[in-house]
Amino acid sequence: MKIWRAAGLVGALTLTAPVSAETKVPGDPHADDPVGIVANPCPVHPKPSDEAGWIMWNLHMLTRDFGQHCRYAADNRALAGQKVRVVFMGDSITDNWINEDPSMFTDGLVDRGISGQTTAQMLVRFREDVIALRPQAVHIMAMTNDIAGNTGAATMETVLGHVQSMADLARANGIKVIIASVPPAAAFPWSPGMKPAPQIATINRRLADYARANGFTFVDYHSAMAQPDGAMKPGLSSDGVHPTKAGYAMMRPLAEAAIARVLGEDK
């Protein structure tokens, strides 16, 4: 139990209402999982079987494993000693890529996308899922879920800053940087009422300018996949946001060209 104190203009005010230092979601079946600094922070639980279970899983994740460090912990250990050319850091668009085009992720290309994540969550896990793998380059594709508000509200400068921090960390560790555009979308099925196309266009201009100013490689999926109104071209997406096999088939040569350029493999 803690007593919280806040200083005001007229002196110190003692807040006497006790609060719990530990966040527990009411109804969470795994609320008694280990907390604090422990040897094994990744207990294994069965996947939820219904919508209510997934909602509770999401709340458990947000309060107990915000960055989802546990998602790739075993996979990262399995890569020890192997040559990693490029890590793809991202959200569901990256997460789904390996499912729709598994042959893409061979020859040292590693998928580290996690569905639903915002840039804040990616930044939290960047050391384990990118730096520790010692890749030659990282491909960062993010911000769709920031625009959708998956983890709340933030300013444009904040979310762009998260991408910039990931790029700074990569560069400081000798990892070359590929920054990808946000793919096109005119609406988000899980966040109805939003009209993201104008923000996506603004973000992509700023990402391209940032990449150019810092000597990073920028890969523009948006221009290849978007209609004039900013929506995804027909047939390239299952829901207006997530690419189909045809969408990834359009993205793949752009990614491969960017990798060849940044690693000096151009023929």
Side-chain angles (χ1 to χ4, degrees):
M1 310 292 269
K2 291 186 176 180
I3 300 296
W4 293 88
R5 290 183 173 85
L9 291 176
V10 295
L13 171 67
T14 300
L15 303 181
T16 57
V19 295
S20 172
E22 201 176 291
T23 301
K24 290 188 177 182
V25 177
D28 181 358
H30 308 303
D32 292 326
D33 278 357
V35 296
I37 299 174
V38 299
N40 179 19
C42 299
V44 177
H45 302 302
K47 289 185 177 180
S49 58
D50 56 21
E51 184 178 359
W54 279 111
I55 291 172
M56 185 56 66
W57 174 89
N58 190 60
L59 290 172
H60 178 89
M61 176 272 295
L62 288 172
T63 55
R64 294 304 184 91
D65 186 15
F66 178 74
Q68 294 187 66
H69 299 270
C70 293
R71 165 68 186 276
Y72 288 113
D75 293 330
N76 290 342
R77 288 193 297 270
L79 281 175
Q82 297 186 35
K83 180 181 178 180
V84 177
R85 293 172 60 231
V86 185
V87 174
F88 281 65
M89 166 61 76
D91 50 37
S92 58
I93 297 171
T94 299
D95 200 352
N96 293 340
W97 199 333
I98 195 169
N99 298 322
E100 296 294 341
D101 186 11
S103 67
M104 173 70 174
F105 295 93
T106 57
D107 190 26
L109 270 59
V110 174
D111 189 318
R112 287 296 179 266
I114 296 184
S115 180
Q117 282 207 331
T118 59
T119 53
Q121 292 171 295
M122 293 179 209
L123 180 57
V124 166
R125 66 182 175 94
F126 196 80
R127 181 166 296 278
E128 292 93 334
D129 287 350
V130 179
I131 296 171
L133 303 183
R134 298 185 178 181
Q136 293 175 273
V138 61
H139 173 285
I140 302 170
M141 180 165 56
M143 297 184 72
T144 292
N145 293 316
D146 294 270
I147 300 169
N150 283 21
T151 54
T155 66
M156 181 74 74
E157 286 68 28
T158 294
V159 292
L160 286 166
H162 292 154
V163 173
Q164 293 164 4
S165 292
M166 286 187 272
D168 287 344
L169 284 168
R171 179 165 52 188
N173 284 275
I175 301 167
K176 296 182 183 300
V177 178
I178 300 168
I179 294 179
S181 68
V182 181
F188 297 136
W190 68 97
S191 191
M194 288 193 169
K195 299 185 183 301
Q199 279 197 334
I200 290 174
T202 297
I203 287 168
N204 285 338
R205 286 193 297 271
R206 294 188 63 171
L207 287 175
D209 290 344
Y210 171 72
R212 189 179 307 110
N214 286 273
F216 301 143
T217 295
F218 181 74
V219 55
D220 187 1
Y221 300 120
H222 188 276
S223 294
M225 303 174 77
Q227 301 184 93
D229 64 355
M232 190 86 77
K233 290 178 180 177
L236 298 184
S237 170
S238 59
D239 59 358
V241 179
H242 297 93
T244 57
K245 287 184 183 296
Y248 287 117
M250 181 171 285
M251 294 169 68
R252 179 169 179 167
L254 299 175
E256 291 176 334
I259 292 168
R261 186 162 61 252
V262 78
L263 297 185
E265 300 171 348
D266 294 275
K267 296 181 180 179

